[in-house]
Amino acid sequence: CEKAEEVAEQVEVEQDVTEVAFPGAEARKPGVIRAGLVPPPAAPLLGAAGGGGSGTASSSNARPRAAALAGAAPGGAADGEEEKWRRQWRSMAQHGLPAFVAEQPEVFHRRARRGVPTEHRWQAWKAAMRVEERTKPGVYQEYLQVENQWTRLIEIDVPRTFPDITLFDKEQQFSLLRVLNAFANLDPQVGYCQGMNFVAGLLLFVAQNGDFRQSPRFEKEEEAFWMLVCLMSDGRLSGFYRRHFPLLRRYLWAFDHLLAEHLPDLQAHFFEENVQHAVYLHQWFLTLFINCLPMPMVLVFWDAIICGGKGLEVVLPITVSLLQVLQNVLLSLSFEEIVRFFKTMRAGEPNTDDAQIGRLVVAKCGAIRLPARITEKLRLPLPDDDDMCMSPCPSGGCEEFVFSPQRRGGDAVGHKADPRAGGPTSSLGSAFADWAAPEGVVGSYLRNLSEMGRDLPQGVRSWWEENRGNYLQRVGFGQERGEDLRQ
């Protein structure tokens, strides 16, 4: 039965994924792109069952197009298939999910990659991360009300979390504040960085079974705290938020290699249109898609990240797979339209099954294998903050990937290689060295970066402010020259 389910899933994935996922993609082309799409008040982004989106099903479309609950059955299945899917998870839950994970991990991982029903999601996540084994009574209570150097920043960011969800009220926000503040006290090496508020907020949401309407119970708040601890330590997510963003920078480097291998045409188009990582990728990684995509799709991605057996590294195949789905649309857009397109993705489309898109993306990403050289780099121990060199890879010599500097209209920077030839495009040092003229490419690029700075996460902006002087001096500009370029 399990093998039959795998075959059936693969057959469905081989269908025209782009049309299934974005039947209204034409509406986003020049002149018709809709900015600031928000669900109507009657259909909030997140509901009691963990769903999202709005709209009614299209009578001309054979597949259901009403916005799906995050726990909808895989593949838009009929009632019988949905019941079978839920019956599988009920059986696993009755057996005990921690015991099932220990006894049949591959079956658990395979089923989780197809999505976890809302009513079982939190227990499945806790079992996969072995949260109960890490929980230490009294620790959360000890840390939650102790102020630290990040407390004020957390207080500022918490109200900005889930701004479209009216049910995320003051009480819910205070619960999130305490979780983040306690974690910053527990792990001051990480402390707090923007993006963590969305991660912790999603954990609180799932801990409450996707229902912000009820007052948060303290035990669920504590569970969310320990889940965050497990993700940061065992899941290595802390490397995304530590000083200098060591693991984030490795993932951006790895993404450039995967993009060159699997989507050379899209990489070339981004090169021509000067689409920097800051336009979309920084937010995708720092919030693990939470603040960038419809919540039902995000939850399916998180099922794969937490329960799929491959951990955080699956973020890379998911990202490439998502861009494969979007490629035909993105290739037809200019820089400004691409920026708007990525901004509107969070709201989704009114008659689109976002959870189904997520499942298709996760299933499709199974064909994307990470080369051994990439996984080796990703899994190397992270350097100490004080010893952190600015090379993205511990072994040095890796190509630049954080900003991928280039000009629009095909004007290449310095000796940049054609992205169609494969591999990342240039080293940051050589790029700056080629931009020596004050009115040359560096002035244009820094102005462009300054304009996009409004959309960058604060942590990335702070990192750039802190280290750009070091970069300029490394390539021989000196302090005075570096100050001129900074201005």
Side-chain angles (χ1 to χ4, degrees):
C1 290
E2 292 292 339
K3 185 63 178 177
E5 289 174 8
E6 279 191 70
V7 172
E9 178 182 354
Q10 187 59 36
V11 168
E12 182 172 11
V13 170
E14 294 301 325
Q15 296 175 356
D16 186 354
V17 177
T18 302
E19 176 57 26
V20 171
F22 294 95
E26 292 291 327
R28 296 193 180 195
K29 289 190 175 181
V32 198
I33 296 178
R34 293 170 291 163
L37 296 177
V38 295
L45 181 62
L46 298 180
S54 61
T56 57
S58 171
S59 59
S60 61
N61 198 321
R63 292 182 176 273
R65 291 303 177 194
L69 298 177
D79 291 344
E81 290 299 317
E82 177 177 352
E83 178 54 33
K84 176 184 176 182
W85 174 66
R86 294 188 181 278
R87 188 167 59 249
Q88 285 181 333
W89 280 95
R90 281 198 301 269
S91 175
M92 293 162 59
Q94 290 170 0
H95 181 78
L97 283 171
F100 192 92
V101 173
E103 296 169 8
Q104 302 185 60
E106 292 303 319
V107 175
F108 175 81
H109 295 155
R110 184 171 61 251
R111 290 179 178 178
R113 286 193 293 268
R114 300 173 194 156
V116 182
T118 301
E119 61 270 24
H120 300 298
R121 177 169 281 126
W122 185 240
Q123 296 303 321
W125 287 12
K126 288 198 302 177
M129 296 302 298
R130 303 169 71 174
V131 171
E132 292 183 357
E133 297 178 17
R134 294 292 304 272
T135 301
K136 298 178 180 178
V139 171
Y140 179 61
Q141 291 85 338
E142 177 184 350
Y143 286 125
L144 63 87
Q145 293 184 338
V146 179
E147 290 195 5
N148 54 62
Q149 59 181 308
W150 299 281
T151 301
R152 178 55 185 156
L153 179 59
I154 296 171
E155 290 175 344
I156 294 173
D157 283 348
V158 161
R160 301 172 180 172
T161 310
F162 304 139
D164 299 329
I165 306 174
T166 56
L167 295 175
F168 190 67
D169 56 17
K170 295 292 184 182
E171 193 173 11
Q172 299 285 351
Q173 292 172 16
F174 186 62
S175 182
L176 176 58
L177 169 63
R178 295 195 297 184
V179 169
L180 291 170
N181 192 68
F183 178 81
N185 285 320
L186 178 71
D187 192 349
Q189 187 179 27
V190 179
Y192 171 75
C193 174
Q194 282 188 331
M196 291 171 58
N197 53 319
F198 287 98
V199 172
L202 182 71
L203 295 178
L204 282 171
F205 172 71
V206 177
Q208 299 175 59
N209 287 328
D211 191 356
F212 277 143
R213 291 179 297 182
Q214 299 179 0
S215 298
R217 293 185 297 173
F218 184 80
E219 60 267 26
K220 293 298 182 182
E221 182 180 308
E222 185 174 10
E223 287 179 0
F225 166 78
W226 285 110
M227 174 67 80
L228 181 63
V229 172
C230 291
L231 286 173
M232 290 291 183
S233 56
D234 300 345
R236 304 194 74 201
L237 188 57
S238 63
F240 276 16
Y241 306 110
R242 276 176 43 190
R243 181 179 174 85
H244 302 309
F245 309 97
L247 191 61
L248 174 65
R249 295 166 67 235
R250 291 184 191 177
Y251 269 66
L252 294 171
W253 164 81
F255 170 79
D256 273 349
H257 283 277
L258 293 174
L259 190 67
E261 178 182 352
H262 295 278
L263 292 166
D265 291 340
L266 185 62
Q267 186 190 51
H269 182 62
F270 281 178
F271 178 89
E272 295 294 332
E273 293 296 328
N274 195 26
V275 177
Q276 312 290 332
H277 288 157
V279 172
Y280 66 106
L281 201 59
H282 290 164
Q283 283 277 11
W284 285 15
F285 285 176
L286 282 173
T287 70
L288 290 184
F289 308 105
I290 297 169
N291 196 36
C292 315
L293 299 173
M295 188 58 72
M297 192 186 306
V298 170
L299 290 171
V300 173
F301 288 175
W302 271 62
D303 288 339
I305 294 169
I306 294 179
C307 304
K310 298 181 180 179
L312 189 62
E313 291 175 6
V314 79
V315 167
L316 289 165
I318 285 175
T319 302
V320 174
S321 179
L322 179 61
L323 289 174
Q324 285 177 334
V325 173
L326 300 172
Q327 178 176 217
N328 290 340
V329 177
L330 292 171
L331 287 174
S332 68
L333 303 180
S334 66
F335 172 82
E336 292 79 7
E337 293 159 349
I338 291 171
V339 172
R340 278 186 307 213
F341 180 86
F342 282 130
K343 285 180 179 291
T344 62
M345 283 181 63
R346 179 182 175 186
E349 291 288 348
N351 295 323
T352 300
D353 185 339
D354 295 318
Q356 167 68 352
I357 298 171
R359 282 185 284 269
L360 288 169
V361 169
V362 171
K364 189 177 177 65
C365 81
I368 300 172
R369 306 294 181 184
L370 297 183
R373 61 189 176 84
I374 289 181
T375 57
E376 290 173 2
K377 299 288 187 183
L378 296 179
R379 296 172 187 177
L380 283 172
L382 297 177
D384 294 334
D385 292 343
D386 293 339
D387 299 332
M388 175 77 180
C389 71
M390 299 317 296
S391 171
C393 298
S395 59
C398 291
E399 300 84 344
E400 184 275 328
F401 55 87
V402 176
F403 300 110
S404 301
Q406 60 239 4
R407 294 187 68 182
R408 308 226 316 256
D411 185 6
V413 173
H415 305 289
K416 187 178 299 295
D418 186 339
R420 293 178 186 272
T425 53
S426 134
S427 71
L428 188 57
S430 64
F432 270 119
D434 290 329
W435 295 353
E439 298 303 325
V441 180
V442 67
S444 173
Y445 178 68
L446 290 179
R447 283 194 298 272
N448 185 27
L449 180 63
S450 177
E451 292 173 0
M452 288 192 296
R454 294 188 299 268
D455 297 324
L456 285 173
Q458 182 174 339
V460 177
R461 290 200 303 271
S462 301
W463 175 82
W464 172 236
E465 292 288 340
E466 179 181 344
N467 291 289
R468 63 180 167 188
N470 296 334
Y471 274 128
L472 295 174
Q473 292 183 24
R474 283 181 67 205
V475 298
F477 287 151
Q479 185 173 359
E480 181 178 353
R481 178 64 170 145
E483 179 63 21
D484 292 342
L485 286 173
R486 187 189 70 80
Q487 296 293 339

